[in-house]
Amino acid sequence: MSESLTDRISTLSQIELFSYLKPEELEVAAGLFEEETFLKGKSVCKAGDDGDTFFVVLSGELEVWGGPDESLLLARLGPGSPVGEMSLLMGDKRSASLTASQRTVLLVMDKDHFNSLLLQNNKILEYFSKIICQRLAATSSGKSVGTNTLVLSVMGNPGLKGTSLVSCALARLLKEFTGQEVLLVKVQSQIGKGRSDAPALLTEQIEMDNDRIRSLVKPNETGMAELNVGIRTDTSLSSYGEGFATLVLKLRENFAYIVFDLVEDLAALTGSIGEFTDVLVSIVDEPTTEVSITEARSFETYELINLFNAGSKPIPISSCEPFVLPEDASLANGAILGSPLSPGAVPLHRLTRKVLGQTVGIALGGGAAFGLAHLGVLKVLEENQIPIDMVVGCSMGSMVGIAYAAGFSISDMISKAHEMGKRSKMILGIDFSLSAPGVLAGNRLRELYTPLLGSRRDFRDLIKPCRTVATDIESGERVDIGTGSLEDAYRASIAVPVVISPIKREGRVLVDGGVSDPVPAEVGRDMGADICIAVNVVPPLKKGVEMALSRYVRRLGKFNPLSYFGADQDFPNLFDITMNSMQTLQHELGNFKAISADVRINPDLSEFTWIEYYRSQEIIDRGIEATERILPAIKKKVGLDA
């Protein structure tokens, strides 16, 4: 193998598109490319050109330009980005123009080789299908990306507290997450209120030049750049829209993010807020059911319930939206940055990432003992500071997901897994059923797992949004569970048909979620995740791996209660037939359900069986290995690859 091909293989292996390929497939793919260099300002292709070439950005950056006169910057594409696949797949002309914004090296593949690549691995085609949907959605929005300062305004309904706390937190977290210049603008209802040097920029007839504004920006007690603006309360607040817009126009030249702290008695500014803001964070006492400002204006609105306000509706802190700020002491002592996992910090961190379009959800698939690999996945993500804002789990994934959303540390969860994996514990978990439609009643599983949750017994007790999935066995529908008893939620999700008895909940007979959606990435999307990681732990069946119970019950001969009286004793028992059938179903269906995810993790667990909980460390290690392999792609997705 030539040195250049080896280097190219190494590069391609770090790109998400090619991360699913086996080494031999990756070598073939690398050999289909040629390298081409484009200097800064050089045109790569024009809108209307024939789509006969596929590119991958190896280094540098491409700008994607569109619109009637090609003046609208649609995207910036850095290393690892695939380009040109849409026109190739659809046989269309180029829909946009590509220009190198700096010296850029591209991997180039012609149409014939591109088609050959698709035929060699169907996962490549699945990936492209997802990318095409995302590109169409972004282009149809008609918005330019990456060119404007983002302006946020925090405003409370009359009489509600929390605007200053939330605005300060957002400003600090935006700076921490992005590393860019952030300005906090505190708008005061009376000139001179607060700091004595607060200017009346909006009411005095002064020239708002950059030097003047910069001289008024001062660091606050946390080191954040802050500008105090006074307004006259004897003037109609709705008339300030133009003044704010002019101020923002100047501030955009100096700051990447601007956060306005609008005190509660300035609610009349709502009428003109669209003149100067992109995102409105509204402090409310309960979710609004009225037509939101967002539906009438061109900016996003997020609602936040501050439970410090007396009379606020006590909805779960783990609610996806509205965001809920708990009565947490960490908020009062400014520990938002230092304690990201505290109940008070969690919703503020998630809100900030939502504003940036970077919230991360993880879908943990089902798989009995295979599901222990989830702990290895979470361990690597946590060690590499990959945030998980929301979690959805199926079957064993639901048990891991609930514990994680409850705030348990990964190390504690791993210790509990080792303890639960002891053979003695496994035996204690077996409770044969004579009165329910399942070999096992499942009550012993409750007795073993529920005490591990301590006082957390309801979804209201979680600190992160969490869902579990089950299946209505009478309709075949997936059932998403995100309220009520945690015990009922995971118990329904693990009820493998025939093996573990189903349960009744809200008039439905529920069985294992793996029957309908073994890797519920779609649920993560529905919860609001901007970036979704899907973990399918169920491997394909591997010939030569002895079935789970066969080795234990074969010696029982004709007295084996799971086999057949008088039959050939080499015939698989009832449990093995059921579980192997489920394994085949969940592996294939899980891969299909995970297509909508941005990143997919598939630990190699083919040498293990469903019930080998006592091999917990080995299974966890496989989760670690699989996540480390695809970690560069994950970091790229969440913006941590710099």
Side-chain angles (χ1 to χ4, degrees):
M1 187 183 299
S2 67
E3 183 176 351
S4 62
L5 182 59
T6 301
D7 292 342
R8 191 177 299 170
I9 291 173
S10 177
T11 301
L12 290 178
S13 67
Q14 305 301 310
I15 297 174
E16 182 185 5
L17 167 61
F18 301 99
S19 63
Y20 310 112
L21 299 183
K22 298 175 181 177
E24 60 272 19
E25 296 171 329
L26 191 61
E27 182 178 348
V28 173
L32 299 178
F33 285 101
E34 299 290 339
E35 291 186 19
E36 190 169 346
T37 301
F38 295 82
L39 300 179
K40 181 179 180 179
K42 176 73 173 178
S43 174
V44 177
C45 63
K46 292 285 190 180
D49 290 350
D50 289 333
D52 55 4
T53 311
F54 170 58
F55 309 101
V56 173
V57 181
L58 192 59
S59 64
E61 182 186 72
L62 291 180
E63 293 178 339
V64 184
W65 296 90
D69 56 355
E70 297 184 22
S71 61
L72 184 65
L73 181 59
L74 300 176
R76 298 183 187 273
L77 305 177
S81 300
V83 189
E85 69 283 351
M86 185 177 293
S87 54
L88 274 174
L89 289 171
M90 297 183 174
D92 293 337
K93 302 287 187 180
R94 301 287 190 194
S95 60
S97 298
L98 302 177
T99 303
S101 64
Q102 56 187 271
R103 185 181 184 276
T104 301
V105 180
L106 300 180
L107 294 179
V108 185
M109 181 183 295
D110 62 31
K111 185 176 182 178
D112 290 339
H113 285 136
F114 178 80
N115 290 334
S116 176
L117 178 64
L118 293 183
L119 292 173
Q120 289 169 19
N121 196 296
N122 62 355
K123 292 189 181 295
I124 299 291
L125 184 59
E126 293 174 2
Y127 177 89
F128 279 133
S129 299
K130 179 183 66 178
I131 292 295
I132 287 174
C133 293
Q134 294 173 344
R135 295 271 177 89
L136 285 172
T139 304
S140 64
S141 68
K143 294 183 178 180
S144 172
V145 292
T147 59
N148 296 321
T149 296
L150 188 67
V151 181
L152 296 84
S153 293
V154 183
M155 177 181 289
N157 284 353
L160 297 182
K161 302 176 181 180
T163 57
S164 292
L165 185 153
V166 174
S167 58
C168 290
L170 284 173
R172 292 174 64 191
L173 291 171
L174 283 169
K175 185 174 183 177
E176 181 195 13
F177 292 170
T178 67
Q180 300 190 57
E181 287 293 312
V182 180
L183 175 66
L184 176 63
V185 182
K186 299 183 80 68
V187 182
Q188 302 171 357
S189 59
Q190 295 178 0
I191 298 174
K193 181 180 178 180
R195 289 212 321 238
S196 61
D197 61 346
L201 289 177
L202 304 179
T203 56
E204 297 177 2
Q205 298 300 311
I206 62 174
E207 181 180 357
M208 289 192 288
D209 60 82
N210 283 331
D211 291 339
R212 164 70 169 161
I213 293 173
R214 268 292 185 185
S215 69
L216 296 170
V217 175
K218 305 289 179 61
N220 62 18
E221 62 275 7
T222 67
M224 178 65 59
E226 184 177 301
L227 174 66
N228 282 258
V229 178
I231 65 174
R232 290 194 172 95
T233 55
D234 59 356
T235 305
S236 172
L237 294 178
S238 60
S239 66
Y240 282 104
E242 185 176 347
F244 273 114
T246 303
L247 176 62
V248 168
L249 187 64
K250 294 294 183 180
L251 293 174
R252 287 180 184 273
E253 301 175 18
N254 298 281
F255 298 94
Y257 298 92
I258 303 169
V259 181
F260 280 90
D261 176 8
L262 304 175
V263 297
E264 61 270 12
D265 55 349
L266 300 180
L269 279 172
T270 301
S272 59
I273 201 168
E275 299 292 331
F276 62 91
T277 197
D278 302 308
V279 177
L280 173 65
V281 177
S282 182
I283 310 297
V284 299
D285 53 6
E286 63 179 334
T288 181
T289 57
E290 301 176 359
V291 177
S292 68
I293 300 173
T294 305
E295 296 180 70
R297 304 278 184 179
S298 60
F299 56 86
E300 298 178 75
T301 299
Y302 299 105
E303 292 184 332
L304 186 147
I305 296 177
N306 181 11
L307 296 183
F308 275 108
N309 286 304
S312 292
K313 187 176 181 179
I315 68 173
I317 295 170
S318 60
S319 166
C320 295
E321 290 190 35
F323 297 82
V324 181
L325 202 61
E327 298 182 73
D328 182 14
S330 67
L331 299 174
N333 62 27
I336 297 169
L337 297 183
S339 305
L341 296 180
S342 68
V346 167
L348 291 172
H349 280 239
R350 181 162 57 90
L351 174 58
T352 306
R353 283 191 286 271
K354 189 63 183 177
V355 168
L356 295 171
Q358 295 178 349
T359 55
V360 181
I362 189 165
L364 304 177
F370 299 133
L372 296 174
H374 293 313
L375 299 176
V377 173
L378 293 172
K379 183 175 187 292
V380 174
L381 296 179
E382 189 172 274
E383 290 175 346
N384 287 273
Q385 299 181 318
I386 307 296
I388 300 297
D389 295 294
M390 54 201 71
V391 58
V392 55
C394 172
S395 197
M396 185 63 179
S398 72
M399 301 174 76
V400 174
I402 286 172
Y404 185 75
F408 288 98
S409 70
I410 299 301
S411 58
D412 284 346
M413 292 168 65
I414 291 176
S415 296
K416 294 296 183 182
H418 294 331
E419 182 182 345
M420 293 282 292
K422 295 178 180 177
R423 294 176 185 265
S424 59
K425 292 280 187 177
M426 292 175 58
I427 295 173
L428 291 174
I430 298 175
D431 55 346
F432 291 104
S433 172
L434 298 176
S435 59
V439 175
L440 303 179
N443 296 323
R444 295 281 180 81
L445 294 173
R446 293 180 186 243
E447 295 171 5
L448 290 175
Y449 179 77
T450 299
L452 302 181
L453 297 176
S455 61
R456 303 167 181 85
R457 299 301 172 92
D458 192 279
F459 277 90
R460 291 179 176 272
D461 301 323
L462 304 179
I463 64 172
K464 291 188 177 186
C466 179
R467 301 288 184 272
T468 69
V469 298
T471 303
D472 184 332
I473 196 60
E474 296 178 323
S475 68
E477 296 176 331
R478 185 191 73 209
V479 179
D480 304 342
I481 305 175
T483 59
S485 165
L486 295 174
E487 185 178 275
D488 287 348
Y490 76 76
R491 175 62 180 81
S493 192
I494 66 171
V496 180
V498 182
V499 180
I500 300 176
S501 299
I503 71 166
K504 288 186 176 181
R505 187 178 188 271
E506 298 179 354
R508 288 180 155 185
V509 179
L510 302 181
V511 300
D512 196 318
V515 175
S516 57
D517 197 347
V519 186
E522 184 179 284
V523 180
R525 292 289 192 199
D526 293 342
M527 293 171 69
D530 300 300
I531 302 163
C532 185
I533 301 171
V535 189
N536 186 7
V537 295
V538 178
L541 289 174
K542 184 177 181 179
K543 192 171 183 177
V545 176
E546 190 172 18
M547 287 186 267
L549 283 188
S550 294
R551 72 189 74 158
Y552 301 116
V553 301
R554 186 176 290 119
R555 68 185 62 181
L556 297 176
K558 65 182 180 180
F559 300 105
N560 174 9
L562 297 176
S563 191
Y564 316 95
F565 186 80
D568 183 351
Q569 298 307 311
D570 289 331
F571 206 67
N573 62 64
L574 178 62
F575 180 90
D576 284 332
I577 290 176
T578 300
M579 299 307 291
N580 280 22
S581 299
M582 287 287 294
Q583 183 169 341
T584 300
L585 167 69
Q586 292 198 13
H587 173 73
E588 296 297 335
L589 182 58
N591 284 340
F592 175 77
K593 291 291 187 177
I595 288 177
S596 63
D598 298 281
V599 179
R600 287 173 286 175
I601 301 174
N602 296 84
D604 182 5
L605 300 171
S606 56
E607 68 182 73
F608 302 92
T609 65
W610 293 86
I611 65 169
E612 292 181 318
Y613 291 93
Y614 57 89
R615 300 177 70 182
S616 57
Q617 190 58 58
E618 296 176 75
I619 296 174
I620 291 170
D621 288 342
R622 295 300 176 88
I624 292 174
E625 295 166 5
T627 310
E628 287 178 339
R629 282 197 300 270
I630 203 168
L631 191 59
I634 299 173
K635 287 184 174 182
K636 182 177 185 297
K637 281 292 181 182
V638 301
L640 295 177
D641 57 338

